[in-house]
Amino acid sequence: MPKYILHYFAGNGRAMISRAILCFAKADWTNDAIKKEDWPTIKKSGLCEFEQVPILEVDGKKYSQSHAIDLYLAETFNLMGKDIEENYQIRSLLFAVDDYTIEIWKALFSQDEAKKPELCKAALEKFKFYLGKFEKRYVDLGKHKYFLGDKFTLADIIVTTCVCSACDSLKFEGAKEVCPNLCELIQRISQNELKEFFEKFYVK
């Protein structure tokens, strides 16, 4: 059985989906939570191809770029869709999350305190827009047990982890009003398939 090491900071960020996959798959893995004070040394150590994390090691071989790692792990553990159409749905969700996450990070890490409330408001509105689109897609696809039907896939991991993380970051408690069906799916998955991940690795 391969041994995995996932190198990233302690927060959710760009390693959250990969951590959830490894946890769900019961992989033999180590969560290397990098301390901020150690990052300058690690960055220049040769571990990180592009001087960025996350980095995934598989039996010593290194993989970089967060979404490439997410997809690599999803394919490894049979979490992709059954055909090219379902794989499109998965990739579309994965990249759509980036669209609103960028705005959230701009708001949360802004050094301009005067502009911060305005940035947070804009980030929340963008997030709510995407929530509505995710809800519509889930309903249009049939509102099944899982996002893409009867099989648990990376799509379920994406919506569950990323929606929860954004709601926590923005302190948004109105998701059920925007996407009631999706929230039911998220609640079910967070308490079952991803229960261990949320208990051990998710950071609020």
Side-chain angles (χ1 to χ4, degrees), residues 51-204:
E51 298 188 353
Q52 298 179 56
V53 283
I55 291 292
L56 176 71
E57 287 192 70
V58 185
D59 288 338
K61 185 175 182 179
K62 300 177 183 67
Y63 297 83
S64 59
Q65 296 298 317
S66 58
H67 290 334
I69 293 170
D70 297 336
L71 293 167
Y72 172 86
L73 289 173
E75 290 174 353
T76 297
F77 296 112
N78 192 30
L79 289 168
M80 294 302 287
K82 68 177 183 293
D83 55 32
I84 193 171
E85 290 297 324
E86 287 194 354
N87 286 340
Y88 157 76
Q89 295 288 343
I90 289 169
R91 291 186 175 96
S92 175
L93 288 172
L94 187 61
F95 300 133
V97 165
D98 280 352
D99 293 342
Y100 69 73
T101 299
I102 289 170
E103 299 304 316
I104 293 174
W105 287 356
K106 281 181 184 177
L108 295 181
F109 298 110
S110 173
Q111 299 300 311
D112 190 336
E113 292 299 323
K115 286 186 177 180
K116 208 160 192 173
E118 180 182 340
L119 291 171
C120 285
K121 182 179 178 180
L124 178 57
E125 289 306 309
K126 188 153 193 173
F127 174 54
K128 287 165 65 176
F129 170 80
Y130 275 80
L131 273 185
K133 296 299 182 182
F134 293 166
E135 167 82 356
K136 184 178 185 305
R137 184 180 294 194
Y138 176 49
V139 172
D140 287 349
L141 288 170
K143 202 174 66 173
H144 295 290
K145 180 180 179 181
Y146 298 117
F147 199 93
L148 295 178
D150 295 327
K151 181 193 173 189
F152 182 78
T153 68
L154 180 56
D156 299 291
I157 294 176
I158 293 166
V159 295
T160 302
T161 59
C162 295
V163 170
C164 286
S165 179
C167 285
D168 288 340
S169 295
L170 293 169
K171 297 178 172 58
F172 178 55
E173 298 180 352
K176 287 184 179 179
E177 298 175 8
V178 181
C179 54
N181 295 289
L182 192 68
C183 281
E184 287 182 12
L185 174 69
I186 289 169
Q187 183 176 16
R188 187 168 67 249
I189 290 171
S190 65
Q191 294 175 354
N192 292 279
E193 288 86 356
L194 295 184
K195 182 179 180 182
E196 183 180 357
F197 165 74
F198 276 95
E199 289 178 347
K200 293 184 178 178
F201 300 104
Y202 181 78
V203 180
K204 284 193 173 183

